[in-house]
Amino acid sequence: MKKERIIAVAGPTASGKTAFAVTLAKKLGGEVISNDSMQIYRGMEIGTAAPTVDEMGGIPHHMIGIAEPLAEFSCADYAASAKNIIKEVISRKKVPIFCGGTGLYLDAVLKVNDFSASVKNDALREELSAFAEINGADALHERLRAVDPQSADAIHKNNVRRVIRAIEIFETTGITKTEWDKKSVEKPSEYDATVIVLDFLSRELLYSRIDLRVDAMMDAGLEAEVRSLWENGLLSPKKPAFQAIGYKEFIPYFEGKATLSETADAIKLATRRYAKRQITWFKRYDNAIFLHPDREDGTVKSPEELFAEAGL
């Protein structure tokens, strides 16, 4: 049976994924599917760098602003929704083009994952959530490390929802999330997928682009966007919005414990650290096409140049 063709543009934040994905869509006749775990939430457009109408360039974009910030939207939920959109895009004789930096979500689409939809233990989730509330995120993270150190290394301690999920998988099935992931990798994907990873030669240039992006977000009204979430009780460890970089960093500012400048610096630092983790994640993609958006002289290539290099 012939596999359906899809393309995925991956890489760290601020690496030019959106512009390149739009160029691919125009050249190949495609539609873009966001692969960002936070762009799915409404009212978080600035902080998640959701593409503007101008940036979309007339290309249909999917999986952006489809859920309320308080809604639970898991990796399994994303995969199920994205696979339905793939079918819809293909029915229009277009190429589905994923674009984003959430490697876990991309893996959920590209790889066969037996446990994601079936393993569920609501009582255990509530117990673990209460444990984190009483003992703190560090203690919960150490609980994960005791049973699945590889997942603990991959999941940040502040991402309480994902830490709980990994513990839930182990305690419900007796098999670690790491082992389940290995089993899923062994099975062939249902798609003919081409993954393109944007990989900067200069880490400092990438970090500079991240800093400029955060400055632009602040100028675009990020403080007001986050304040609205804060005032509506949506910035707490139990809410999805709390996991997004650029949001929880404002809490000390709203509490009068930090200046706006210090908040911007904290967002820049957290984003650079996240970019480093993204780079590590995507380097595991052995069969991906790795493209360098920058040249040795520090200049940045156009999306059209990258398209020519991709050889699609």
Side-chain angles (χ1 to χ4, degrees), residues 190-210:
E190 59 189 290
Y191 304 110
D192 176 14
T194 299
V195 179
I196 302 171
V197 178
L198 302 186
D199 182 27
F200 268 72
L201 292 169
S202 169
R203 187 72 61 88
E204 290 308 312
L205 177 57
L206 175 63
Y207 288 171
S208 175
R209 289 168 61 91
I210 287 171

Side-chain angles (χ1 to χ4, degrees), residues 146-276:
V147 297
D148 188 358
Q150 287 179 274
S151 287
D153 287 341
I155 303 172
H156 195 278
K157 64 181 181 181
N158 289 337
N159 198 334
V160 174
R161 291 168 64 236
R162 280 189 60 200
V163 174
I164 288 175
R165 178 60 177 157
I167 297 173
E168 176 189 18
I169 289 167
F170 173 74
E171 295 199 5
T172 303
T173 68
I175 301 172
T176 65
K177 180 181 181 301
T178 300
E179 287 302 313
W180 278 111
D181 289 346
K182 287 179 181 177
K183 290 183 178 182
S184 70
V185 171
E186 293 169 0
K187 298 183 179 181
S189 172
E190 59 189 290
Y191 304 110
D192 176 14
T194 299
V195 179
I196 302 171
V197 178
L198 302 186
D199 182 27
F200 268 72
L201 292 169
S202 169
R203 187 72 61 88
E204 290 308 312
L205 177 57
L206 175 63
Y207 288 171
S208 175
R209 289 168 61 91
I210 287 171
D211 290 351
L212 289 173
R213 170 176 280 190
V214 173
D215 288 338
M217 288 176 174
M218 298 297 282
D219 291 341
L222 179 59
E223 188 269 350
E225 180 177 271
V226 183
R227 184 178 291 278
S228 177
L229 295 171
W230 168 255
E231 291 177 346
N232 285 286
L234 298 176
L235 280 186
S236 72
K238 291 185 177 181
K239 304 299 182 183
F242 184 82
Q243 308 302 333
I245 295 172
Y247 292 81
K248 57 184 175 293
E249 289 81 8
F250 269 95
I251 293 176
Y253 170 71
F254 293 146
E255 294 177 341
K257 300 175 183 177
T259 66
L260 198 58
S261 177
E262 288 170 337
T263 301
D265 288 341
I267 295 171
K268 290 174 182 178
L269 178 59
T271 307
R272 291 194 296 268
R273 287 174 173 170
Y274 177 56
K276 186 176 180 180

Side-chain angles (χ1 to χ4, degrees), residues 49-70:
T52 64
V53 172
D54 286 344
E55 289 171 335
M56 291 180 184
I59 298 298
H61 280 60
H62 307 276
M63 297 299 287
I64 297 175
I66 62 170
E68 295 296 335
L70 53 74

